[in-house]
mmCIF file of all heavy atoms in Angstrom:
data_model
loop_
_atom_site.group_PDB
_atom_site.id
_atom_site.type_symbol
_atom_site.label_atom_id
_atom_site.label_comp_id
_atom_site.label_asym_id
_atom_site.label_seq_id
_atom_site.Cartn_x
_atom_site.Cartn_y
_atom_site.Cartn_z
ATOM 1 N N LEU G 18 -12.516 11.554 16.821
ATOM 2 C CA LEU G 18 -12.589 12.737 17.648
ATOM 3 C C LEU G 18 -13.919 13.457 17.598
ATOM 4 O O LEU G 18 -14.471 13.867 18.561
ATOM 5 C CB LEU G 18 -11.456 13.660 17.185
ATOM 6 C CG LEU G 18 -10.075 13.193 17.578
ATOM 7 C CD1 LEU G 18 -9.041 14.203 17.082
ATOM 8 C CD2 LEU G 18 -9.883 13.019 19.122
ATOM 9 N N SER G 19 -14.571 13.536 16.386
ATOM 10 C CA SER G 19 -15.796 14.156 16.316
ATOM 11 C C SER G 19 -16.913 13.415 16.971
ATOM 12 O O SER G 19 -17.795 13.963 17.644
ATOM 13 C CB SER G 19 -16.172 14.473 14.814
ATOM 14 O OG SER G 19 -16.335 13.258 14.147
ATOM 15 N N ALA G 20 -16.894 12.047 16.825
ATOM 16 C CA ALA G 20 -17.828 11.284 17.499
ATOM 17 C C ALA G 20 -17.707 11.357 19.067
ATOM 18 O O ALA G 20 -18.717 11.366 19.846
ATOM 19 C CB ALA G 20 -17.725 9.733 17.069
ATOM 20 N N GLY G 21 -16.437 11.321 19.546
ATOM 21 C CA GLY G 21 -16.219 11.486 20.955
ATOM 22 C C GLY G 21 -16.676 12.819 21.439
ATOM 23 O O GLY G 21 -17.225 12.868 22.613
ATOM 24 N N TYR G 22 -16.509 13.861 20.711
ATOM 25 C CA TYR G 22 -16.934 15.187 21.101
ATOM 26 C C TYR G 22 -18.425 15.224 21.316
ATOM 27 O O TYR G 22 -19.017 15.723 22.262
ATOM 28 C CB TYR G 22 -16.495 16.248 20.163
ATOM 29 C CG TYR G 22 -17.033 17.609 20.383
ATOM 30 C CD1 TYR G 22 -16.502 18.374 21.483
ATOM 31 C CD2 TYR G 22 -18.117 18.081 19.646
ATOM 32 C CE1 TYR G 22 -17.013 19.602 21.692
ATOM 33 C CE2 TYR G 22 -18.641 19.376 19.969
ATOM 34 C CZ TYR G 22 -18.024 20.128 20.957
ATOM 35 O OH TYR G 22 -18.595 21.350 21.243
ATOM 36 N N LEU G 23 -19.181 14.657 20.264
ATOM 37 C CA LEU G 23 -20.606 14.603 20.414
ATOM 38 C C LEU G 23 -21.108 13.711 21.519
ATOM 39 O O LEU G 23 -22.036 14.057 22.287
ATOM 40 C CB LEU G 23 -21.171 14.052 19.061
ATOM 41 C CG LEU G 23 -21.087 15.011 17.937
ATOM 42 C CD1 LEU G 23 -21.543 14.305 16.620
ATOM 43 C CD2 LEU G 23 -21.912 16.261 18.143
ATOM 44 N N LEU G 24 -20.390 12.603 21.765
ATOM 45 C CA LEU G 24 -20.718 11.651 22.870
ATOM 46 C C LEU G 24 -20.664 12.376 24.219
ATOM 47 O O LEU G 24 -21.384 12.083 25.101
ATOM 48 C CB LEU G 24 -19.870 10.474 22.747
ATOM 49 C CG LEU G 24 -20.203 9.308 23.706
ATOM 50 C CD1 LEU G 24 -21.563 8.657 23.309
ATOM 51 C CD2 LEU G 24 -19.093 8.226 23.581
ATOM 52 N N VAL G 25 -19.682 13.227 24.394
ATOM 53 C CA VAL G 25 -19.486 13.960 25.685
ATOM 54 C C VAL G 25 -20.312 15.236 25.716
ATOM 55 O O VAL G 25 -20.901 15.519 26.833
ATOM 56 C CB VAL G 25 -17.958 14.240 25.826
ATOM 57 C CG1 VAL G 25 -17.738 15.115 27.069
ATOM 58 C CG2 VAL G 25 -17.180 12.981 25.956
ATOM 59 N N SER G 26 -20.368 16.053 24.681
ATOM 60 C CA SER G 26 -20.971 17.360 24.783
ATOM 61 C C SER G 26 -22.451 17.294 24.842
ATOM 62 O O SER G 26 -23.037 18.228 25.592
ATOM 63 C CB SER G 26 -20.486 18.265 23.639
ATOM 64 O OG SER G 26 -21.021 17.746 22.409
ATOM 65 N N LEU G 27 -23.168 16.467 24.059
ATOM 66 C CA LEU G 27 -24.609 16.516 24.115
ATOM 67 C C LEU G 27 -25.157 16.139 25.554
ATOM 68 O O LEU G 27 -25.991 16.893 26.022
ATOM 69 C CB LEU G 27 -25.103 15.585 23.021
ATOM 70 C CG LEU G 27 -25.056 16.128 21.657
ATOM 71 C CD1 LEU G 27 -25.516 15.069 20.658
ATOM 72 C CD2 LEU G 27 -25.829 17.397 21.523
ATOM 73 N N PRO G 28 -24.725 15.102 26.180
ATOM 74 C CA PRO G 28 -25.237 14.856 27.540
ATOM 75 C C PRO G 28 -24.832 15.906 28.510
ATOM 76 O O PRO G 28 -25.543 16.196 29.403
ATOM 77 C CB PRO G 28 -24.578 13.497 27.907
ATOM 78 C CG PRO G 28 -24.227 12.794 26.693
ATOM 79 C CD PRO G 28 -23.908 13.990 25.718
ATOM 80 N N ALA G 29 -23.615 16.478 28.353
ATOM 81 C CA ALA G 29 -23.241 17.561 29.235
ATOM 82 C C ALA G 29 -24.105 18.760 29.152
ATOM 83 O O ALA G 29 -24.508 19.378 30.139
ATOM 84 C CB ALA G 29 -21.751 17.985 28.889
ATOM 85 N N VAL G 30 -24.522 19.143 27.972
ATOM 86 C CA VAL G 30 -25.435 20.275 27.771
ATOM 87 C C VAL G 30 -26.732 19.942 28.373
ATOM 88 O O VAL G 30 -27.449 20.837 29.051
ATOM 89 C CB VAL G 30 -25.530 20.688 26.268
ATOM 90 C CG1 VAL G 30 -26.642 21.649 26.012
ATOM 91 C CG2 VAL G 30 -24.208 21.205 25.836
ATOM 92 N N ILE G 31 -27.257 18.745 28.197
ATOM 93 C CA ILE G 31 -28.596 18.394 28.735
ATOM 94 C C ILE G 31 -28.529 18.434 30.211
ATOM 95 O O ILE G 31 -29.456 18.906 30.893
ATOM 96 C CB ILE G 31 -29.006 17.002 28.119
ATOM 97 C CG1 ILE G 31 -29.374 17.108 26.673
ATOM 98 C CG2 ILE G 31 -30.241 16.497 28.949
ATOM 99 C CD1 ILE G 31 -29.504 15.842 25.958
ATOM 100 N N ILE G 32 -27.523 17.860 30.817
ATOM 101 C CA ILE G 32 -27.321 17.874 32.298
ATOM 102 C C ILE G 32 -27.240 19.195 32.836
ATOM 103 O O ILE G 32 -27.885 19.600 33.809
ATOM 104 C CB ILE G 32 -26.210 16.998 32.714
ATOM 105 C CG1 ILE G 32 -26.494 15.503 32.389
ATOM 106 C CG2 ILE G 32 -25.807 17.178 34.180
ATOM 107 C CD1 ILE G 32 -25.278 14.590 32.544
ATOM 108 N N TRP G 33 -26.492 20.132 32.098
ATOM 109 C CA TRP G 33 -26.339 21.565 32.549
ATOM 110 C C TRP G 33 -27.692 22.220 32.497
ATOM 111 O O TRP G 33 -28.045 22.975 33.443
ATOM 112 C CB TRP G 33 -25.343 22.243 31.667
ATOM 113 C CG TRP G 33 -25.134 23.668 32.044
ATOM 114 C CD1 TRP G 33 -25.518 24.713 31.183
ATOM 115 C CD2 TRP G 33 -24.567 24.215 33.142
ATOM 116 N NE1 TRP G 33 -25.145 25.936 31.859
ATOM 117 C CE2 TRP G 33 -24.633 25.595 33.071
ATOM 118 C CE3 TRP G 33 -24.075 23.695 34.305
ATOM 119 C CZ2 TRP G 33 -24.139 26.407 34.083
ATOM 120 C CZ3 TRP G 33 -23.511 24.496 35.323
ATOM 121 C CH2 TRP G 33 -23.588 25.879 35.137
ATOM 122 N N LYS G 34 -28.505 21.963 31.463
ATOM 123 C CA LYS G 34 -29.815 22.699 31.412
ATOM 124 C C LYS G 34 -30.725 22.176 32.498
ATOM 125 O O LYS G 34 -31.505 22.959 33.090
ATOM 126 C CB LYS G 34 -30.419 22.414 30.032
ATOM 127 C CG LYS G 34 -29.733 23.197 28.947
ATOM 128 C CD LYS G 34 -30.518 23.130 27.683
ATOM 129 C CE LYS G 34 -30.106 24.117 26.652
ATOM 130 N NZ LYS G 34 -30.451 25.466 26.980
ATOM 131 N N ILE G 35 -30.692 20.895 32.790
ATOM 132 C CA ILE G 35 -31.557 20.361 33.948
ATOM 133 C C ILE G 35 -31.095 20.886 35.214
ATOM 134 O O ILE G 35 -31.865 21.282 36.111
ATOM 135 C CB ILE G 35 -31.573 18.781 33.855
ATOM 136 C CG1 ILE G 35 -32.256 18.312 32.628
ATOM 137 C CG2 ILE G 35 -32.144 18.219 35.121
ATOM 138 C CD1 ILE G 35 -32.119 16.834 32.402
ATOM 139 N N TYR G 36 -29.834 21.005 35.413
ATOM 140 C CA TYR G 36 -29.273 21.606 36.649
ATOM 141 C C TYR G 36 -29.738 23.053 36.847
ATOM 142 O O TYR G 36 -30.171 23.439 37.924
ATOM 143 C CB TYR G 36 -27.699 21.530 36.648
ATOM 144 C CG TYR G 36 -27.097 22.354 37.753
ATOM 145 C CD1 TYR G 36 -27.042 21.943 39.050
ATOM 146 C CD2 TYR G 36 -26.461 23.567 37.436
ATOM 147 C CE1 TYR G 36 -26.480 22.673 40.007
ATOM 148 C CE2 TYR G 36 -25.876 24.325 38.391
ATOM 149 C CZ TYR G 36 -25.827 23.885 39.738
ATOM 150 O OH TYR G 36 -25.266 24.630 40.739
ATOM 151 N N ARG G 37 -29.625 23.838 35.757
ATOM 152 C CA ARG G 37 -30.095 25.247 35.909
ATOM 153 C C ARG G 37 -31.590 25.310 36.059
ATOM 154 O O ARG G 37 -32.028 26.187 36.700
ATOM 155 C CB ARG G 37 -29.720 25.963 34.530
ATOM 156 C CG ARG G 37 -28.283 26.332 34.475
ATOM 157 C CD ARG G 37 -27.976 27.089 33.212
ATOM 158 N NE ARG G 37 -29.104 27.879 32.775
ATOM 159 C CZ ARG G 37 -29.040 28.733 31.768
ATOM 160 N NH1 ARG G 37 -27.980 28.778 31.053
ATOM 161 N NH2 ARG G 37 -30.113 29.414 31.416
ATOM 162 N N CYS G 38 -32.326 24.396 35.523
ATOM 163 C CA CYS G 38 -33.788 24.356 35.774
ATOM 164 C C CYS G 38 -34.083 24.098 37.176
ATOM 165 O O CYS G 38 -34.970 24.829 37.771
ATOM 166 C CB CYS G 38 -34.436 23.329 34.872
ATOM 167 S SG CYS G 38 -36.184 23.100 34.925
ATOM 168 N N ILE G 39 -33.421 23.205 37.836
ATOM 169 C CA ILE G 39 -33.625 22.889 39.238
ATOM 170 C C ILE G 39 -33.073 23.951 40.129
ATOM 171 O O ILE G 39 -33.781 24.410 41.029
ATOM 172 C CB ILE G 39 -33.013 21.507 39.551
ATOM 173 C CG1 ILE G 39 -33.800 20.433 38.830
ATOM 174 C CG2 ILE G 39 -33.099 21.252 41.106
ATOM 175 C CD1 ILE G 39 -33.039 19.033 38.934
#
Side-chain angles (χ1 to χ4, degrees):
L18 290 176
S19 64
Y22 174 77
L23 289 174
L24 189 67
V25 171
S26 67
L27 285 176
V30 169
I31 292 170
I32 290 170
W33 177 248
K34 285 186 170 289
I35 291 172
Y36 169 76
R37 284 181 32 175
C38 180
I39 293 170

